[in-house]
Amino acid sequence: MMMRRVISRAAISFKPSRFHRSQSSLSRTLADEEPVLPQMPPFDYTPPPYTGPTAEEILSKRHKFLSPAVFHFFNKPLNLVDGKMQYLFDENGRRYLDAFGGIATVGCGHCHPDVVDAIVNQTKRLQHSTILYLNPAIAEFAEALASKFPGDLKVVFFTNSGTEANELALMMARLYTGCHDVISIRNGYHGNAAGTMGVTSQSNYKFNVVQTGVHHAQNPDQYRGVFGSDGLKYARDVSDIITYGTSGRVAAFIAEAIQGVGGIMELAPGYLPAVYDAVRNAGGLCIADEVQSGLARTGSHFWGFEAHGVVPDIVTMAKAIGNGVPLGAVVTTPGIAKVLTQRNYFNTFGGNPMCTAAGLAVLKVIEKENLQSNALVVGSYLKERLASMMGKYELIGDVRGRGLMLGVEFVTDRGMKTPAKAETVCVMEKMKVKL
């Protein structure tokens, strides 16, 4: 039961790296293998027969009617039509173990009955009104969510996504401090709107549009970084940015405790406490982006920032908070929250009854099923087993992360740490067959 409950919380990221002897020979071997279907463990659910359009028909419609920016995994994409807990089912009824969780979103498992019941029951009564009227769902969820935070982090604003949450957090920091300059970390990802694209520091996710007032600090990368795991040395770059790149005053520093899109990169020890001190001395606020690492995923703590011994001024979250419904949140202090009273702040769908009922159900499931403890136990075991494979496969350059937010990086040469891009794609294709 432990595995059944938590394995769906795994966000295992395979980042390209490389193999020795046989990088190319491995690719050929894997490509030429006849697929052998795995023996799946028993599971007490069978999806109803699927009678809708085929994968080929859906793909044709996507090409015709959806943006060309919408891409898909795998040479032959999956048509997933059903889900239950840690499993997904394709159009033919074949079962797959889901180690991706809808991009670290389905934290309680697909179609968890408690979450589904909360959504259905609330939708039957009142799906949407507006926060201009009273409704118990938003108030009860806000109270429950605030109870998960330390110190004075007690005021909640609801949004529809992580991008929206981070946009709001950045605006609040700039309003509160009266400064515009924001510092983020290279390799971080915080969203794809105007402000969040600015603090995102990966060229693949940045368009050539105006992005002002953002400084990208050196990434405290324990795998490739020049200072290894010495967080204090990386933190000096933030102090230098404040001294040489700003007026000496800043609005905010924003970072993920574990970089998700960036390859499950856990920040070097000692980094966040030193940076938080430097930023606060410059009048800035510290923003923790918990969109991927929050909600008990790391196992050791409920929030990723807690592992670093810091308390942020603003925390953002989304993804697992709704287990798949569009829901995000910003949590901050009463003093910072007041800046939004300078004008009318409004979000049409943020905090609607249906989504907040789902969010409250998620918190209850995490507690009832001990998902944080399970993430620690199962994640630690999984990480240990993955690390043990490094002695057998030169392709594995690094195994990292915490709880069920784990990453495996593939390299073609462990010394040079050269990304094994082709091998990564090949392994992903084989995982689709094997899992």
Side-chain angles (χ1 to χ4, degrees), residues 161-171 174 182 184 188-202 205-207 209-212 214 216 254 287 289 291 316:
S161 69
T163 292
E164 277 193 6
N166 283 329
E167 286 280 341
L168 178 58
L170 292 170
M171 182 177 74
R174 284 167 166 157
V182 173
S184 65
Y189 178 85
H190 302 285
N192 55 15
T196 50
M197 189 180 294
V199 292
T200 290
S201 187
Q202 296 182 41
Y205 296 96
K206 293 171 77 73
F207 288 94
V209 296
V210 175
Q211 300 164 43
T212 64
V214 178
H216 300 111
I254 184 170
I287 303 171
D289 181 339
V291 170
T316 62

Side-chain angles (χ1 to χ4, degrees), residues 308-339:
H308 294 265
V310 297
V311 178
D313 302 296
I314 304 176
V315 182
T316 62
M317 68 211 69
K319 292 187 179 289
I321 193 177
N323 205 53
V325 302
L327 177 62
V330 177
V331 179
T332 189
T333 67
I336 297 171
K338 286 182 180 178
V339 298

